[in-house]
Amino acid sequence: MTDKQIVEKATVIGEKYFIDNYGVEVEFVDSQVMASSITTGVVLYGYIVGKEEDKIKISLDYRDFEVTGTGIPLDLKKIGE
């Protein structure tokens, strides 16, 4: 899988993750695919749509595309919390 394909798949999963877990739409503007010799991770950087000042990030393992971490604004709460 190419870096571009990894980012495209991770973007779809990341957008769905933020909608499902936080009820917000996000726009990803940058990405970083780690070398597999270091780690099998991809990080997407972006912001909440309509709140460009609210930066977010999400990291995924590109072997199985499981979310391994997020970076969110302090006031953003998970649905149900």
Side-chain angles (χ1 to χ4, degrees):
M1 192 175 270
T2 68
D3 285 1
K4 182 176 185 233
Q5 290 170 320
I6 290 169
V7 169
E8 286 172 356
K9 185 167 183 173
T11 296
V12 171
I13 293 166
E15 289 170 345
K16 182 174 180 354
Y17 180 88
F18 277 99
I19 289 171
D20 291 350
N21 290 279
Y22 296 98
V24 295
E25 289 186 40
V26 297
E27 177 84 22
F28 295 115
V29 295
D30 199 9
S31 62
Q32 183 178 14
V33 178
M34 309 300 175
S36 61
S37 60
I38 298 169
T39 183
T40 54
V42 55
V43 182
L44 304 176
Y45 303 91
Y47 58 87
I48 296 171
V49 173
K51 293 181 163 185
E52 283 72 19
E53 69 280 2
D54 285 351
K55 307 296 184 203
I56 54 96
K57 70 179 178 180
I58 188 167
S59 56
L60 302 97
D61 184 320
Y62 59 74
R63 291 174 299 183
D64 57 12
F65 289 92
E66 290 292 318
V67 174
T68 57
T70 58
I72 59 169
L74 292 174
D75 60 346
L76 187 61
K77 302 289 184 221
K78 265 194 165 178
I79 293 173
E81 281 188 358

